[in-house]
Amino acid sequence: MLKRFDITRKRFHPLWLLLGAIIGRGLGLIGGLNFAFWYYSDPGVVLAWQIFGAIVVALFYSFLMTSKSSLQLTGGLLGLGIGFALALYGGEIWAHIAPDRERANLVTMSFDEGLVLEWVYMHSAWLGLIVGWITAIIISRRRAGPQE
């Protein structure tokens, strides 16, 4: 049985597009910095990575959340993205308000600060995946009603 690819207007939900763009911008930022070895990164290339990440991840989350996928899959992936984005944007805010820096951004972080930030956003993403998955299981059991 061949299924048609559904690309109707309902697949482009504004909430999921916005949330995906926020998560994707952070993913593009980290991708651009990691591929360019952080300190040596070209700001124009990192900006291009952020735009690319925002577009691709926005479309991914919009299509995922409007699909007929299981609630556990959508909840887990949504939790993964939210956990990652919260930790990354928290680290970015911290880098901007940190004292004793000429320029305040992720590139000017010291090596040890960068390692801690990487550890925090990776583990926050995994924690978000677990929390999203468990939350989705609870929601699906409540929707199913009482079991006898």
Side-chain angles (χ1 to χ4, degrees):
M1 177 179 348
L2 186 64
K3 293 192 178 210
R4 279 189 29 169
F5 182 66
D6 181 19
I7 191 159
T8 58
R9 188 176 197 163
K10 70 175 180 144
R11 299 301 299 268
F12 298 95
H13 193 276
L15 173 68
W16 303 126
L17 285 170
L18 177 65
L19 187 63
I22 292 169
I23 294 169
R25 185 260 172 193
L27 191 61
L29 173 65
I30 290 300
L33 289 174
N34 281 339
F35 287 125
F37 304 109
W38 283 64
Y39 185 74
Y40 304 106
S41 61
D42 178 27
V45 173
V46 174
L47 179 64
W49 272 98
Q50 291 177 46
I51 293 169
F52 175 75
I55 292 169
V56 169
V57 176
L59 291 174
F60 172 76
Y61 270 105
S62 183
F63 284 4
L64 174 71
M65 299 307 285
T66 58
S67 70
K68 294 178 183 174
S69 299
S70 71
L71 196 57
Q72 289 84 1
L73 174 69
T74 57
L77 288 177
L78 185 63
L80 178 115
I82 290 172
F84 166 79
L86 286 175
L88 177 67
Y89 288 123
E92 201 170 13
I93 290 169
W94 179 82
H96 282 286
I97 63 173
D100 302 333
R101 292 205 176 131
E102 290 178 23
R103 295 180 340 200
N105 58 25
L106 293 180
V107 176
T108 59
M109 293 175 86
S110 66
F111 183 76
D112 55 343
E113 291 170 332
L115 282 177
V116 170
L117 178 65
E118 292 255 351
W119 186 90
V120 167
Y121 75 68
M122 281 186 214
H123 286 78
S124 295
W126 285 112
L127 181 64
L129 176 106
I130 294 167
V131 169
W133 184 64
I134 291 171
T135 303
I137 289 173
I138 293 169
I139 291 170
S140 67
R141 286 187 180 164
R142 285 188 182 165
R143 284 184 183 172
Q147 302 292 326
E148 292 186 24

